[in-house]
Amino acid sequence: MRIVLIGAGRLATNLGQSLLRAGHEIVCVYSRTMSSAKTLSERIGGQPVDKAEDLPMAADAYIISIKDSALAGMIPAVTKGRESQVFMHTAGSMPMEMFKGMAHHYGVFYPMQSFSKERLVDFAEIPTFIEANDAKAMGVIRLLAESVSERVRELSSDDRQYLHLAAVFACNFTNHCYAMAAEILEEHGMGFDVMLPLIDETARKVHQLHPLQAQTGPAVRYDENVIRHQAQLLQSHPVMKDLYERMSLHIHRKAGNQ
């Protein structure tokens, strides 16, 4: 398929290269800055542009992969004069109906993964959730999704917002906990690398056990002596102390409901 890629960030960089490897042709790469568009187009091909009016008027698919807050402003500019083309966005928490009234064929292509430009991921393993407003759009979106991912399923916008919420807990909040752990260690002359075996084993366990069954630590049994002492160690970090106490109580309550 001939693809116009709108965006040159982390997801767009990974997706563009995966689509290229799957045999698709990237005919154009858009970014707000020409330098970013050129950087990505040098890797995946396509004409770099930094103005929506310079996008091709026809292609098999227009994939909009930009930050959520920019979607509402970008969709009208991209669809104008191209209303009969097939459009999709890649946002986890934004509804498909953002395209309504501005395009005839549209949908969502949401790969649920954390992306970076420096570390390319294997798209074949990424659960990819798709949605479309009609058969034409679904045919294009499904073909693209199944050409790069082995785990494709349809999911409505309503359900996808809860999927994205769950991903925030499982990924973003977990990574922030890593950052807090690193801060504590670094303040006392230790490196974060000492945590890696523990993190790896915790991640391996939830491949076999439900997270509630895999939970360990003083909060499960609510060991008040340990919890009180550790909370005191966080006196100079009141936000972390509050999070520690709230999280410990929540873990204990969840363990008691099993």
Side-chain angles (χ1 to χ4, degrees):
M1 285 193 169
R2 288 168 52 82
I3 297 167
V4 173
L5 185 58
I6 295 111
R10 290 173 292 182
L11 195 163
T13 296
N14 277 263
L15 179 56
Q17 291 182 85
S18 295
L19 290 168
L20 183 66
R21 286 195 298 270
H24 303 288
E25 179 186 1
I26 311 300
V27 297
C28 186
V29 175
Y30 165 91
S31 178
R32 289 180 304 159
T33 61
M34 182 57 75
S35 60
S36 295
K38 285 181 175 178
T39 296
L40 183 52
S41 69
E42 287 170 1
R43 300 172 74 173
I44 65 176
Q47 176 69 32
V49 302
D50 60 358
K51 296 180 177 62
E53 56 264 32
D54 293 335
L55 293 169
M57 295 306 295
D60 295 311
Y62 290 74
I63 303 176
I64 306 177
S65 184
I66 59 177
K67 62 182 181 181
D68 292 3
S69 60
L71 269 174
M74 179 56 66
I75 287 175
V78 172
T79 57
K80 185 178 181 180
R82 307 175 184 88
E83 291 83 358
S84 295
Q85 304 299 308
V86 176
F87 299 90
M88 65 201 77
H89 71 64
T90 61
S93 61
M94 305 303 285
M96 176 182 69
E97 295 303 324
M98 293 189 74
F99 291 103
K100 190 172 183 179
M102 290 177 279
H104 303 317
H105 315 290
Y106 54 85
V108 176
F109 179 120
Y110 173 53
M112 192 183 68
Q113 184 54 279
S114 176
F115 295 97
S116 65
K117 291 184 180 181
E118 299 76 19
R119 177 181 168 82
L120 297 181
V121 299
D122 182 2
F123 245 88
E125 300 176 354
I126 298 176
T128 300
F129 299 88
I130 62 175
E131 182 182 17
N133 76 314
D134 64 12
K136 179 176 180 178
M138 179 56 76
V140 171
I141 296 171
R142 181 174 290 281
L143 189 154
L144 289 175
E146 291 182 347
S147 72
V148 295
S149 173
E150 297 174 0
R151 304 177 64 185
V152 177
R153 60 174 287 188
E154 293 185 32
L155 192 69
S156 70
S157 289
D158 286 344
D159 287 337
R160 183 166 30 83
Q161 65 182 346
Y162 289 103
L163 176 73
H164 189 255
L165 172 61
V168 167
F169 274 95
C171 176
N172 306 131
F173 287 178
T174 299
N175 190 74
H176 186 64
C177 287
Y178 296 161
M180 289 190 289
E183 183 178 351
I184 292 168
L185 291 167
E186 289 160 5
E187 286 179 353
H188 297 277
M190 293 174 277
F192 184 69
D193 60 297
V194 300
M195 293 286 110
L196 297 179
L198 176 63
I199 290 169
D200 292 343
E201 176 58 21
T202 302
R204 281 192 291 266
K205 279 200 296 186
V206 294
H207 282 265
Q208 299 175 334
L209 299 173
H210 188 282
L212 285 175
Q213 295 175 308
Q215 187 71 58
T216 61
V220 174
R221 58 188 181 275
Y222 211 71
D223 188 326
E224 293 191 56
N225 289 331
V226 173
I227 291 171
R228 188 180 303 111
H229 175 65
Q230 292 188 335
Q232 288 299 314
L233 295 177
L234 292 169
Q235 285 292 350
S236 60
H237 298 284
V239 174
M240 269 198 259
K241 180 176 182 291
D242 183 57
L243 286 171
Y244 175 89
E245 292 172 336
R246 289 172 183 269
M247 190 78 78
S248 295
L249 182 59
H250 196 260
I251 288 170
H252 178 65
R253 288 174 175 171
K254 283 291 184 181
N257 290 334
Q258 291 187 76

